[in-house]
Amino acid sequence: MHLHEEIKGEETRFGEREHIETVFHDCYERLSNAGLRPVAYRGGHYAYAPFMNEVLAKYEIYADFSCCSGMNFPEHEAVWTKAPLSASYLPEDPRADWSG
């Protein structure tokens, strides 16, 4: 799944949990109704708000490809300043230092 929740020429809505959960659920249902089972996620603009861990787990999606090591665009929820260059499990708080 890949959401693009931005307001053209302004900002993104990736930090708005209620909005993202509604859009995510709708997208998941559409894919499921078409016979597809989503297994991975990537936020548009590499966005990943800390609450996304819970949202993905709720839908049994355990692979996220939003990480962009070194990126720092808090206005887009794309804060990857401490992310490693190779794959790792997401920490409880994606904004925290990574280990593993």
Side-chain angles (χ1 to χ4, degrees), residues 28-77:
Y28 186 90
E29 288 296 310
R30 288 172 187 247
L31 290 169
S32 295
N33 290 338
L36 301 171
R37 186 192 177 292
V39 297
Y41 172 79
R42 185 174 87 74
H45 301 286
Y46 303 97
Y48 195 91
F51 64 78
M52 285 306 295
N53 284 8
E54 292 175 38
V55 174
L56 296 180
K58 178 180 173 181
Y59 291 91
E60 298 182 338
I61 296 174
Y62 299 109
D64 171 70
F65 297 97
S66 303
C67 179
C68 185
S69 186
M71 183 176 274
N72 186 19
F73 293 104
E75 67 278 11
H76 297 307
E77 291 295 333

